Amino acid sequence: MIFKTPAIRLSIALALLIVNLLIVADQIGLIPDASESALELRKGLSESLALQFASAAEKGELNTIRNTLRAVVERNKDIRSAAIRTDNGNLIALVGEHLAHWKPPVDGKSTPTHVHVPVYRNDEKWATVEIRFAPFWSGNTGIVLASSFVELLIFIGLSSFICYFLVIKRTLRELDPTAVIPKRVQKAFDALHEGVLILDKDEQIVMANHSFAALFGKSPETMLGLKGSELGWLNCKTSEQVRQLPWLRVLQDGREHIGASLSLLDNQGRKIKLAVNVTVLTDNAGSSRGTLLTFDDITQLEEKNFELNNMLEKLQSANDEIQVKSQELETLANRDPLTLCLNRRSLAQYFDELFTQAKADGGHLSCMMLDIDFFKSVNDRFGHATGDQVIKAVADVLKTCTRETDLVGRYGGEEFCVVLPTLALDTAVKIAERIRQAIEKSSCSGVKITASLGVAAIESNANTPDELINQADKALYAAKKSGRNRVIIWGQDSDAVADVESGPETQEPVVQPGQSTPMDTDQAQLQRRVVELEGLLEKRTLEIEHYEMYDLKTGLPTRSLFEDRIAHEIARAKRKNYLVAVLSLTIDTIKRIHETIGRKVAGQLVKACGHRLNVVIRENIDTVAVFDNVKGMSTVSLINEMEFGILLTDIQQVDHVTWVMKRLLDSFDKPFTINGHEIYTSAYFGVSIFPHDGQTVEALYSSATNACSYAQKLNGNDRYLFASEDLNNKAANQLKIENSLHEAIENDELQLHYQPKIDSATQQIAGFEALLRWQSGRLGFVPPDKFIPVAEQAGLIDRIGDWVIYTACRQLRSWMDSGLAVKPIAVNISGVQLRQQNLASRIAHILDEFNIDRSLLEIELTESSLITTDDKPYAVLNQIKDMGIRVTMDDFGTGYSSLSYLRKIPLSCLKIDRSFISDLNKNENADKLVASIVSMAHELGLDVVAEGVEEKHQADHLVALGCEYLQGYYFSRPVPHDEVVDMLQKQPMALAS
């Protein structure tokens, strides 16, 4: 229909708008009222008749009056009827149906249809002319059209419609996007498989081909005029992401953009990935008029690439496995499986190459042969498993004492061959002596061993590698004949060669200088044999004692040594007033492994468990931090194949045992990999504490094993039990706190309250202390003294500490932005945080982020946080002080008060603990202590803050002592941040209610 044309619709709408504006203008009086003008005309006519009738009345011409009135009514279509009425109501003249339709005005005033005018005769009112006019508006259309105002509206409406229609039609023709792109060009673009889009300078679409419109399930015409950035691109929500759209970047820098990637959801909800190329469209003058975009659907290509990458990764993984297997096969072919040294075949191959090169270059080359002394007796006494361990230990010594370029091979049994390229004989001898001494000092599974070595060099006129090895082997034989545990050099003395080649009738070989020379007589040989046997007896005695104390397979202390150490630590704890914890650990998985996979794997699992326990106990930073004496703090022992015993010493609080035990339990959540088997274990702990659960070794160990057995029967989630029920509840509560703390920051459960510090001289607020509060969704309100130690031991204190500093600085910035005169805020720092070397830089970063002056942040720390064996905390505090941040020692007098710490710490202020303040004026010693602390602080140039001020007499006493700042409930409780504003506006401080 014709009304569907945009030009007609817009023209009608604008014409109606103009007509409505005229009507509104008429209603508010901006257009003159035609009825008032007509009323004035009617009044004028009536008054004119009244004047004529007054003149005729004075002359007594009543007929003239009647005739005139009749003529006026008949000639004027607007006058319906008329009459002349005297004051007493008599009608002098009457024309038309006047009596039936005349309505006298109520207020005596004329109306547009009923006009009455008085007639005077001889200056006295004689009668009244009554004229009834037709209404201005009647119900028929002809009268409406006859109205001047309606005619005006019709004229303006029609004329504005015609004008608007012509203008809009021309404008739309000029602005029609389809006119920008000829139809033949549109059809050419529609034939393309890739999407094509043309945008103007305002990124509005002036052309879209069918391929692009189909992505959105629309026709090209419906997309005209839309903005390119408003088409629903994925990951394009923020203003910064919008600015990175390729066509906007091209419009900004004027350079084409190739290979951009965008994603969107098509009309079926599938994710489509498009490759976008953008170029600039310019006019003849070279000015930018818009952009041309092409879109390639690369969704399937991406999927294929993804599949291809997966295939490549699998191929790479398979290739890596092949490489590993190849290396394993090469190792099996070239290496001894026990020691991973070169086997005899590969040693000969590499040795031949080095020998040939040395002969050709005239360089040095040395060879040594090594044999383990009395190795047969090791196998006979301790078994072949121990013999294998001895051979591996000797191989490790050889690898340690030689270079990577040297050849170390197992020549057979307990015999080794070492080839030293580029080394002369004297250097080779030094290396051989170093190897001999290292083997003599080492101990393998408690077995003391020695070795004999023979050394030869290419300078001894050896013509082949086999000949050089034979010379070194003969020197080794001479070393074994001459008493063992020594180094013999081939070719240095002709007697040595003669002795080896001729037998026992010749002289003994020459030995390395520094070794004793063998005696030639039988008596000397016998005496040397006796000494050798005595040494062997002593060695065997030590080995027996060692195996009574240490397990042969794992090297861990046995039960006898474990109980001996418990007794020693009980006696020591009584003197030092420390706690001792005995932990019994049972791993029932070991039994199942023994029954299913075999004894060998079970033994290896026991050894792996012992190693993991030692690693956690000795190397975990969080664990070590809870003990004073790190060196003697723990012992891991093997009680039997399924049970371990753990001894923890120098414990200050029972809580610390919980943290250690949790770390141990967590370590067993990881599987063990043994001989290709991935084994998960179930560990159960029982814990007894000296002196709470026993005073003797038997009582403590029995309590721990009973608790462990009961924990195993319960088979609960905790997997541990204390011998004391109270300690069990306490440990469980601590673990609940730790688990909830992990979610506290994410769930916005932490908040800061602020308690003011009052300047004692002015009674004005001098600053605030930020106090951490935790309202847990699971546990309710948790006091700081309950969760802060947990956070320290769980490794969460750094994160929470950063949150406190960040929140306090953010609040400072908020107050500053609102125009408040802010005061410094003091935050508390944990001793654990002070061990972090980057603490000062983290604080500086937060201050810079909020543009906070350094003087508006203060650091408070306790004395106990500085008790450490190193100076790291002092270095961190010096960095903080150098930044211009004040450092305050909190709770002074309650920790390890030592004046040496005051000398080391870069303090600005001391805070007297509340326990001293509460006894003021009640305890004479407390009064003296507080006075001494204040005096000492002033002598050191430090300010003094008294916390815990709750009564007026305390405040007065502290002011008299010269204490600069007061803090406590007497002035205010800690309040949320929104109450601080009112507090700052009510200074000086009123007493807290």
Side-chain angles (χ1 to χ4, degrees):
M1 293 181 62
I2 191 171
F3 291 105
K4 291 185 178 180
T5 306
I8 293 180
R9 292 201 302 269
L10 288 173
S11 300
I12 292 175
L14 292 173
L16 290 176
L17 175 63
I18 296 296
V19 171
N20 287 330
L21 289 176
L22 289 174
I23 294 174
V24 171
D26 179 62
Q27 293 295 323
I28 62 177
L30 297 179
I31 297 178
D33 191 353
S35 61
E36 290 183 0
S37 301
L39 178 60
E40 293 298 325
L41 290 174
R42 291 178 179 184
K43 284 183 178 181
L45 175 62
S46 301
E47 290 175 355
S48 176
L49 290 174
L51 291 176
Q52 293 180 22
F53 293 158
S55 176
E58 288 180 355
K59 298 177 181 179
E61 298 176 354
L62 297 178
N63 289 330
T64 302
I65 294 175
R66 293 186 184 98
N67 294 332
T68 302
L69 183 62
R70 183 179 296 108
V72 169
V73 172
E74 291 176 353
R75 295 175 181 176
N76 195 331
K77 295 181 179 180
D78 284 342
I79 300 177
R80 301 295 177 87
S81 64
I84 299 176
R85 195 188 304 269
T86 62
D87 288 343
N88 54 12
N90 295 326
L91 291 173
I92 298 174
L94 179 65
V95 180
E97 299 177 356
H98 186 74
L99 295 178
H101 298 285
W102 175 258
K103 295 179 181 179
V106 178
D107 54 358
K109 296 182 179 181
S110 299
T111 65
T113 57
H114 293 69
V115 179
H116 61 97
V117 182
V119 180
Y120 292 89
R121 187 176 60 178
N122 300 326
D123 298 330
E124 292 181 359
K125 183 179 180 182
W126 170 62
T128 301
V129 179
E130 299 176 354
I131 301 175
R132 182 171 66 87
F133 290 92
F136 290 136
W137 308 99
S138 63
N140 59 75
T141 307
I143 297 177
V144 173
L145 292 175
S147 169
S148 61
F149 181 68
V150 174
E151 291 175 351
L152 176 64
L153 291 180
I154 293 173
F155 172 75
I156 292 178
L158 290 174
S159 59
S160 61
F161 168 77
I162 295 172
C163 293
Y164 281 132
F165 175 75
L166 295 175
V167 173
I168 291 174
K169 187 175 181 180
R170 183 178 181 86
T171 303
L172 290 177
R173 187 183 299 114
E174 293 292 331
L175 297 179
D176 184 8
T178 58
V180 177
I181 306 297
K183 290 185 178 181
R184 62 180 182 277
V185 178
Q186 176 73 48
K187 290 182 179 180
F189 281 138
D190 288 341
L192 296 177
H193 179 70
E194 61 183 358
V196 180
L197 200 63
I198 297 179
L199 306 179
D200 63 11
K201 291 190 296 184
D202 298 324
E203 64 157 341
Q204 290 184 330
I205 298 176
V206 297
M207 194 285 297
N209 70 345
H210 280 296
S211 297
F212 182 80
L215 297 174
F216 300 88
K218 298 180 179 181
S219 64
E221 291 78 11
T222 58
M223 303 200 69
L224 299 180
L226 299 177
K227 281 196 171 185
S229 59
E230 298 176 354
L231 296 180
W233 305 109
L234 299 180
N235 301 322
C236 187
K237 297 180 180 179
T238 66
S239 58
E240 179 60 29
Q241 291 172 333
V242 171
R243 284 196 294 271
Q244 295 303 315
L245 288 171
W247 53 88
L248 293 179
R249 295 173 60 184
V250 169
L251 287 173
Q252 182 178 3
D253 55 31
R255 293 177 295 179
E256 66 178 8
H257 198 91
I258 305 297
S261 178
L262 290 176
S263 300
L264 57 82
L265 296 178
D266 65 5
N267 58 332
Q268 298 181 358
R270 297 173 301 183
K271 184 178 179 181
I272 297 177
K273 192 167 186 180
L274 302 171
V276 186
N277 298 325
V278 188
T279 188
V280 183
L281 295 178
T282 59
D283 55 17
N284 294 332
S287 301
S288 174
R289 299 298 301 273
T291 53
L292 172 66
L293 292 74
T294 61
F295 296 85
D296 290 319
D297 188 349
I298 59 173
T299 306
Q300 294 183 354
L301 181 61
E302 286 286 317
E303 293 174 354
K304 295 296 183 182
N305 286 339
F306 182 76
E307 294 175 0
L308 181 60
N309 288 333
N310 281 340
M311 186 177 297
L312 289 175
E313 289 179 1
K314 291 179 181 179
L315 290 174
Q316 184 63 42
S317 177
N319 185 56
D320 293 341
E321 291 181 3
I322 292 173
Q323 294 292 337
V324 171
K325 294 299 183 183
S326 299
Q327 292 177 0
E328 291 177 354
L329 290 174
E330 183 179 355
T331 300
L332 291 175
N334 297 328
R335 300 278 175 175
D336 173 61
L338 178 63
T339 62
L340 297 181
C341 296
L342 295 173
N343 57 27
R344 191 162 181 170
R345 181 188 62 81
S346 58
L347 176 68
Q349 177 184 347
Y350 295 133
F351 191 11
D352 185 65
E353 295 175 0
L354 293 176
F355 189 90
T356 303
Q357 183 177 356
K359 278 291 187 180
D361 299 340
H364 296 292
L365 180 68
S366 299
C367 175
M368 69 174 69
M369 295 294 292
L370 178 146
D371 186 78
I372 303 173
D373 297 333
F374 306 111
F375 181 74
K376 185 175 182 302
S377 64
V378 173
N379 279 335
D380 294 341
R381 291 175 176 271
F382 303 105
H384 290 283
T386 302
D388 289 345
Q389 295 298 321
V390 169
I391 290 175
K392 289 174 65 177
V394 171
D396 291 339
V397 171
L398 290 174
K399 295 174 185 177
T400 303
C401 295
T402 56
R403 303 167 299 174
E404 291 184 1
T405 56
D406 298 334
L407 302 180
V408 179
R410 187 180 179 192
Y411 210 66
E414 68 275 17
E415 194 171 15
F416 291 85
C417 176
V418 180
V419 179
L420 307 170
T422 71
L423 292 185
L425 180 62
D426 55 347
T427 305
V429 171
K430 293 178 182 178
I431 294 175
E433 180 61 25
R434 187 163 66 242
I435 292 172
R436 184 195 67 79
Q437 293 177 4
I439 294 174
E440 185 178 21
K441 294 177 181 178
S442 66
S443 173
C444 177
S445 299
V447 179
K448 293 289 185 180
I449 57 174
T450 59
S452 301
L453 295 96
V455 184
I458 198 172
E459 291 88 348
S460 60
N461 297 321
N463 295 316
T464 65
D466 290 338
E467 187 175 346
L468 184 58
I469 291 176
N470 187 46
Q471 292 175 357
D473 191 50
K474 288 181 179 180
L476 169 63
Y477 180 70
K480 294 173 70 174
K481 280 193 63 179
S482 60
R484 301 179 186 271
N485 190 22
R486 60 193 61 210
V487 177
I488 293 295
I489 307 170
W490 176 261
Q492 195 172 53
D493 196 319
S494 58
D495 292 338
V497 179
D499 183 61
V500 172
E501 294 178 343
S502 303
E505 298 299 326
T506 60
Q507 294 181 349
E508 294 287 339
V510 178
V511 301
Q512 173 67 13
Q515 301 287 341
S516 59
T517 304
M519 301 182 67
D520 297 332
T521 63
D522 294 340
Q523 183 178 358
Q525 291 280 359
L526 180 61
Q527 184 178 359
R528 187 169 63 251
R529 185 61 178 166
V530 170
V531 172
E532 189 176 298
L533 290 173
E534 288 177 348
L536 184 62
L537 177 61
E538 183 181 0
K539 183 189 298 184
R540 295 295 180 265
T541 302
L542 292 174
E543 290 172 357
I544 292 172
E545 292 177 355
H546 176 83
Y547 287 125
E548 288 179 353
M549 297 294 182
Y550 293 91
D551 179 68
L552 176 63
K553 296 179 180 179
T554 64
L556 293 174
T558 60
R559 178 171 179 171
S560 59
L561 182 56
F562 182 61
E563 293 179 344
D564 180 68
R565 289 181 175 177
I566 294 176
H568 173 77
E569 292 301 331
I570 288 175
R572 182 169 168 272
K574 290 179 180 178
R575 297 193 305 270
K576 301 290 186 178
N577 196 27
Y578 279 125
L579 302 177
V580 176
V582 177
L583 280 66
S584 175
L585 167 63
T586 297
I587 304 175
D588 56 4
T589 312
I590 298 175
K591 182 179 179 181
R592 295 198 301 271
I593 297 300
H594 188 279
E595 295 171 350
T596 56
I597 302 179
R599 180 178 180 180
K600 184 177 181 180
V601 175
Q604 292 176 348
L605 178 59
V606 172
K607 186 174 181 179
C609 290
H611 175 72
R612 185 172 292 185
L613 288 170
N614 272 314
V615 169
V616 174
I617 289 291
R618 294 177 182 173
E619 297 183 5
N620 188 279
I621 296 176
D622 292 335
T623 302
V624 171
V626 303
F627 298 99
D628 277 355
N629 183 6
V630 176
K631 294 182 180 179
M633 74 173 183
S634 65
T635 296
V636 178
S637 302
L638 181 65
I639 307 302
N640 54 52
E641 288 188 349
M642 293 175 54
E643 182 182 356
F644 290 87
I646 301 173
L647 179 64
L648 303 179
T649 66
D650 300 300
I651 301 172
Q652 297 181 16
Q653 301 178 26
V654 178
D655 302 351
H656 298 162
V657 180
T658 306
W659 315 133
V660 177
M661 192 164 51
K662 187 176 187 302
R663 302 302 181 272
L664 293 171
L665 284 171
D666 291 343
S667 70
F668 280 91
D669 290 338
K670 302 175 183 177
F672 293 88
T673 302
I674 298 175
N675 290 352
H677 300 283
E678 192 174 72
I679 302 173
Y680 286 87
T681 57
S682 299
Y684 298 90
F685 281 92
V687 186
S688 61
I689 305 293
F690 171 85
H692 306 303
D693 302 318
Q695 301 284 333
T696 64
V697 175
E698 292 77 11
L700 286 174
Y701 182 69
S702 176
S703 298
T705 54
N706 290 337
C708 180
S709 177
Y710 190 53
Q712 193 172 3
K713 291 178 181 178
L714 292 177
N715 196 22
N717 294 327
D718 293 334
R719 294 184 292 159
Y720 69 89
L721 277 179
F722 282 85
S724 167
E725 184 176 354
D726 292 340
L727 293 179
N728 276 325
N729 295 335
K730 189 174 183 180
N733 186 53
Q734 289 167 350
L735 292 180
K736 287 180 181 178
I737 291 176
E738 179 177 343
N739 293 333
S740 298
L741 261 181
H742 285 279
E743 305 172 355
I745 295 180
E746 286 79 1
N747 295 341
D748 199 22
E749 296 175 354
L750 298 178
Q751 55 181 298
L752 291 182
H753 285 198
Y754 301 89
Q755 187 174 33
K757 291 187 291 187
I758 309 302
D759 190 320
S760 60
T762 64
Q763 298 298 306
Q764 299 284 333
I765 294 177
F768 293 90
E769 180 181 3
L771 300 170
L772 184 60
R773 298 292 184 262
W774 179 26
Q775 185 67 36
S776 171
R778 297 181 181 178
L779 308 177
F781 177 74
V782 184
D785 59 344
K786 297 294 184 183
F787 71 83
I788 292 298
V790 175
E792 292 179 340
Q793 302 303 331
L796 298 172
I797 193 64
D798 284 335
R799 187 179 174 197
I800 293 176
D802 286 349
W803 180 89
V804 170
I805 298 173
Y806 184 90
T807 304
C809 291
R810 183 180 63 188
Q811 189 58 62
L812 273 172
R813 171 46 57 192
S814 175
W815 288 334
M816 293 167 66
D817 291 342
S818 62
L820 283 177
V822 297
K823 304 296 181 181
I825 292 181
V827 296
N828 292 278
I829 296 295
S830 163
V832 177
Q833 290 175 267
L834 288 176
R835 286 195 285 270
Q836 305 301 323
Q837 295 301 300
N838 63 341
L839 176 62
S841 62
R842 296 207 311 267
I843 294 175
H845 176 74
I846 294 173
L847 288 169
D848 292 339
E849 179 178 348
F850 292 102
N851 194 20
I852 302 295
D853 189 86
R854 304 299 199 260
S855 62
L856 291 177
L857 184 68
E858 298 181 3
I859 298 299
E860 291 193 6
L861 57 147
T862 59
E863 289 178 85
S864 57
S865 65
L866 296 170
I867 305 305
T868 179
T869 56
D870 56 44
D871 293 333
K872 291 182 180 178
Y874 304 116
V876 173
L877 287 174
N878 279 315
Q879 294 173 7
I880 293 174
K881 184 68 178 295
D882 292 341
M883 291 166 54
I885 299 175
R886 286 167 55 90
V887 179
T888 299
M889 179 177 284
D890 196 6
D891 301 335
F892 183 75
T894 60
Y896 300 81
S897 299
S898 172
L899 297 182
S900 62
Y901 291 117
L902 295 182
R903 178 175 53 83
K904 293 182 179 180
I905 307 170
L907 291 176
S908 302
C909 184
L910 286 183
K911 180 177 280 190
I912 306 174
D913 185 68
R914 63 181 66 248
S915 60
F916 296 105
I917 306 303
S918 61
D919 289 337
L920 281 178
N921 298 325
K922 299 177 183 177
N923 186 307
E924 184 177 352
N925 289 332
D927 295 348
K928 293 180 179 178
L929 281 172
V930 172
S932 300
I933 293 173
V934 173
S935 176
M936 177 192 65
H938 289 166
E939 288 295 328
L940 294 174
L942 304 177
D943 294 334
V944 180
V945 179
E947 65 176 342
V949 179
E950 298 184 357
E951 299 179 16
K952 186 177 186 302
H953 71 86
Q954 296 171 347
D956 294 340
H957 189 103
L958 292 165
V959 171
L961 290 176
C963 185
E964 285 83 3
Y965 304 105
L966 308 177
Q967 179 181 346
Y969 283 10
Y970 177 69
F971 301 100
S972 172
R973 294 175 178 270
V975 298
H977 65 86
D978 52 354
E979 296 183 25
V980 172
V981 177
D982 294 336
M983 187 179 295
L984 289 171
Q985 294 173 350
K986 292 180 180 179
Q987 298 191 61
M989 287 297 296
L991 303 187
S993 58

